[in-house]
Amino acid sequence: MQLFRWFKKPKNDIKPGTSKLSHGVGIALSGGGARGYAHIGVLKALSKHKIEPAIVSGTSMGSLIGVLYAAGFSPIEIQELVKKEPIVKMVKMAFGKHGFFEMIGVRKILNQVISPNDFSTLKKPFYLSVTNLNKGINEVKSSGILIEYVIASCSVPVVFAPVEIAGTTYVDGGLFDNLPAECIRENCNFLIGVNVNPTGVVDKFDGIRDVAERSFTLSIDQNVRISKAVCDVVIEPPGILNFTFWDFDKVDKIVEVGYQYTTQLLQQGGLNLPIATMP
């Protein structure tokens, strides 16, 4: 698939009204646990080629990487931050809170680097997906308090304690929308989707964790397929299958997978297009 095929479309083939939109390039980042570090590599490769998405959305790990990017951190700075403050060291046991762990440390770091705690603080428009556990529906947040919803979007049910906000219980947005593309589709001319959960083929399973991870990936694949269909291009690094949701100690290797694959796509698609000049 050509990464920049949008620019080659005749004007009458572009979605109605998109030429008047305020954002040129948008990017939607999927959930995927530690695999989400690949988002950093994708953003790094895009940045190297002067492509800076102007509007961002994310679910779960995609929301964590996405909010840092929307806050103005460069991909390199994000990589250094997640290495300096490993996620596995920022969680603690959540006794009696409907989950094994809670992300106290992650919340603390976000409060330190993003202040005040509000979507309006961000330098780019940012949307995230969460699951309203009470009503059993998906919700997309883009205004008001911020960090609590980022934590909620990352809260994989049972593994992490749910987050209660204004009397409503929220968990990982991936249950309904693991690649939140639709929410920004009409706000950008060209939409890049990054999915770090390709189904692929798994030859063997080494234990119950592998079976659980594979089952979760397959269960959310249908909502991801719907989201991929509204993107202009989908970046889906096949090499990410060599890593699990829990490989939080392999930041550099996972980042490199996203970087190398995106660089390859860019080189194959050609870069002599005025993407960097778009608002």
Side-chain angles (χ1 to χ4, degrees), residues 64-99:
L64 181 59
I65 302 302
V67 75
L68 292 171
Y69 184 69
F73 289 87
S74 71
I76 292 176
E77 290 171 334
I78 297 173
Q79 184 173 355
E80 290 305 312
L81 178 62
V82 298
K83 287 172 61 179
K84 180 181 178 182
E85 305 288 350
I87 288 180
V88 291
K89 293 183 179 180
M90 290 192 288
V91 300
K92 71 173 188 176
M93 294 297 293
F95 299 103
K97 294 189 177 181
H98 309 297

Side-chain angles (χ1 to χ4, degrees), residues 9 13 26 144 160 202 224 232 241 248 256 272:
K9 292 181 179 179
D13 191 34
F160 294 106
V202 177
V224 171
D232 292 293
L241 288 173
F248 291 106
E256 189 66 11
N272 297 318

Side-chain angles (χ1 to χ4, degrees), residues 116-129:
N117 177 19
D118 195 276
F119 276 87
S120 63
T121 303
L122 304 176
K123 297 180 180 180
K124 300 175 186 281
F126 176 64
Y127 295 67
L128 61 80
S129 169

Side-chain angles (χ1 to χ4, degrees), residues 30-36 156-157 172 174-179 195-202 205 208-226 228 236-238 240-246:
S30 79
R35 289 177 174 180
V156 179
D172 196 310
L175 296 183
F176 288 101
D177 192 4
N178 202 48
L179 180 64
N195 178 36
V196 296
N197 291 306
T199 52
V201 175
V202 177
F205 303 97
I208 190 171
R209 190 178 71 175
D210 288 354
V211 173
E213 182 175 311
R214 179 64 170 172
S215 298
F216 179 74
T217 298
L218 295 176
S219 70
I220 64 175
D221 183 58
Q222 189 57 45
N223 78 59
V224 171
R225 289 188 185 189
I226 294 172
K228 285 162 62 174
E236 208 167 37
I240 205 67
L241 288 173
N242 294 321
F243 301 90
T244 74
F245 289 177
W246 317 107

Side-chain angles (χ1 to χ4, degrees), residues 37-247:
Y37 289 143
H39 294 315
I40 302 172
V42 172
L43 291 168
K44 186 188 292 188
L46 293 175
S47 179
K48 183 177 180 180
H49 291 89
K50 311 298 183 184
I51 302 169
E52 305 288 348
I55 183 170
V56 186
S57 66
T59 295
S60 200
M61 192 62 169
S63 75
L64 181 59
I65 302 302
V67 75
L68 292 171
Y69 184 69
F73 289 87
S74 71
I76 292 176
E77 290 171 334
I78 297 173
Q79 184 173 355
E80 290 305 312
L81 178 62
V82 298
K83 287 172 61 179
K84 180 181 178 182
E85 305 288 350
I87 288 180
V88 291
K89 293 183 179 180
M90 290 192 288
V91 300
K92 71 173 188 176
M93 294 297 293
F95 299 103
K97 294 189 177 181
H98 309 297
F100 291 116
F101 305 97
E102 55 184 339
M103 290 179 276
I104 298 297
V106 177
R107 187 192 303 268
K108 180 180 178 181
I109 294 299
L110 289 177
N111 275 308
Q112 290 175 352
V113 300
I114 301 176
S115 181
N117 177 19
D118 195 276
F119 276 87
S120 63
T121 303
L122 304 176
K123 297 180 180 180
K124 300 175 186 281
F126 176 64
Y127 295 67
L128 61 80
S129 169
V130 289
T131 295
N132 180 324
L133 201 58
N134 298 99
K135 295 182 178 180
I137 61 174
N138 173 248
E139 293 182 10
V140 174
K141 303 297 181 180
S142 61
S143 63
I145 61 169
L146 170 64
I147 293 172
E148 288 78 2
Y149 283 114
V150 173
I151 299 299
S153 183
C154 294
S155 297
V156 179
V158 182
V159 177
F160 294 106
V163 178
E164 185 172 317
I165 304 172
T168 299
T169 301
Y170 291 97
V171 295
D172 196 310
L175 296 183
F176 288 101
D177 192 4
N178 202 48
L179 180 64
E182 186 66 37
C183 60
I184 62 172
R185 171 66 275 184
E186 296 306 318
N187 294 318
C188 57
N189 288 319
F190 186 85
L191 178 56
I192 301 170
V194 186
N195 178 36
V196 296
N197 291 306
T199 52
V201 175
V202 177
D203 295 323
K204 65 175 183 176
F205 303 97
D206 293 326
I208 190 171
R209 190 178 71 175
D210 288 354
V211 173
E213 182 175 311
R214 179 64 170 172
S215 298
F216 179 74
T217 298
L218 295 176
S219 70
I220 64 175
D221 183 58
Q222 189 57 45
N223 78 59
V224 171
R225 289 188 185 189
I226 294 172
S227 296
K228 285 162 62 174
V230 305
C231 297
D232 292 293
V233 67
V234 176
I235 298 175
E236 208 167 37
I240 205 67
L241 288 173
N242 294 321
F243 301 90
T244 74
F245 289 177
W246 317 107
D247 283 335

